[in-house]
Amino acid sequence: MKLMFASDIHGSLPATEQVLAHFARSGAQWLVLLGDILNHGPRNALPEGYAPAEVAQRLNEQAARIIAVRGNCDSEVDQMLLTFPLSAPWQQVLLPGQRLFLTHGHLFSPDNLPPLAQNDVLVYGHTHLPVAQRQGDIFHFNPGSVSIPKGGFAASYGMLEEGMLRVMALNDHRVIAQVAINP
C-alpha cells in the first residue's frame, strides 16, 4: 500500500495545489490529511494564498481518496464545506503485522500515547515539525506542515511506500527524515 500524508494545510491554496499535484503523480492510493485543513488558527499567521473555500473545493475533487482526521483548528463549519468526513479525532489503517494510528496530535501525541502494540506507528501533525523515528516499541511519524513549517524546516509532506516512511520537502521532494517500519 502506498499512502501520502499532508498535515496543517491551514487554508493555503498554493500548498493544497502542490499537495494535489504530487498526489496525482505519486501513485498513492490514499491521501491522508492529519487535520487543520481550512482554518489558520489564532496562533498562526495567515499562510500564503489563504483561501479556505477554494481549498475545500480542490480537496473535494479527491474526496473518495481522502482519509482525514480532525485537528484543533477544524470545526463543524469546515465539515459543511468538505464532502469527506473530517469529524473523527483519530483513524486507523491496518497493515500486515502493524497499524497506523492517525491523529492530529493535540489529543493523542508522543506525550499522550493511545494504546499501541509493538511496531505500531503513531502518525500525527499539529507541531509542524517533521519526525520519522522509532521510539521504544513504536514508530513516530509527523510529516510536518505543508503551509506553515516550523523549526527552520521546509514545508513538507509524507509518503509510505514499501515499508518506508519518509518526510519529503514539498518544493523539491528531497528526503528530510525517514524510517523503515517493516516489523
Side-chain angles (χ1 to χ4, degrees), residues 97-137:
Q98 67 194 140
R99 70 181 158 157
L100 306 179
F101 186 95
L102 313 173
T103 188
H104 177 62
H106 66 296
L107 300 175
F108 294 109
S109 68
D111 295 327
N112 184 36
L113 292 172
L116 297 171
Q118 183 175 353
N119 292 320
D120 283 350
V121 184
L122 176 69
V123 181
Y124 64 100
H126 187 58
T127 65
H128 300 217
L129 298 169
V131 174
Q133 61 189 16
R134 183 177 190 111
Q135 291 184 12
D137 287 343

Side-chain angles (χ1 to χ4, degrees), residues 9 11 16 33 35-39 51-64 66 68-71 73-87:
I9 297 171
T16 301
L33 299 178
D36 287 2
I37 296 171
L38 299 181
N39 286 309
E54 289 85 355
V55 168
Q57 184 177 41
R58 290 290 289 124
L59 291 174
N60 286 339
E61 295 168 7
Q62 295 296 323
I66 290 176
V69 296
R70 179 181 51 82
C73 294
D74 297 318
S75 71
E76 290 181 33
V77 173
D78 298 336
Q79 183 64 79
M80 294 170 68
L81 293 175
L82 298 168
T83 59
F84 54 88
L86 178 64
S87 60

Side-chain angles (χ1 to χ4, degrees), residues 1-14:
M1 178 183 314
K2 188 172 187 182
L3 301 174
M4 182 173 169
F5 303 87
S7 190
D8 298 281
I9 297 171
H10 289 291
S12 171
L13 185 58

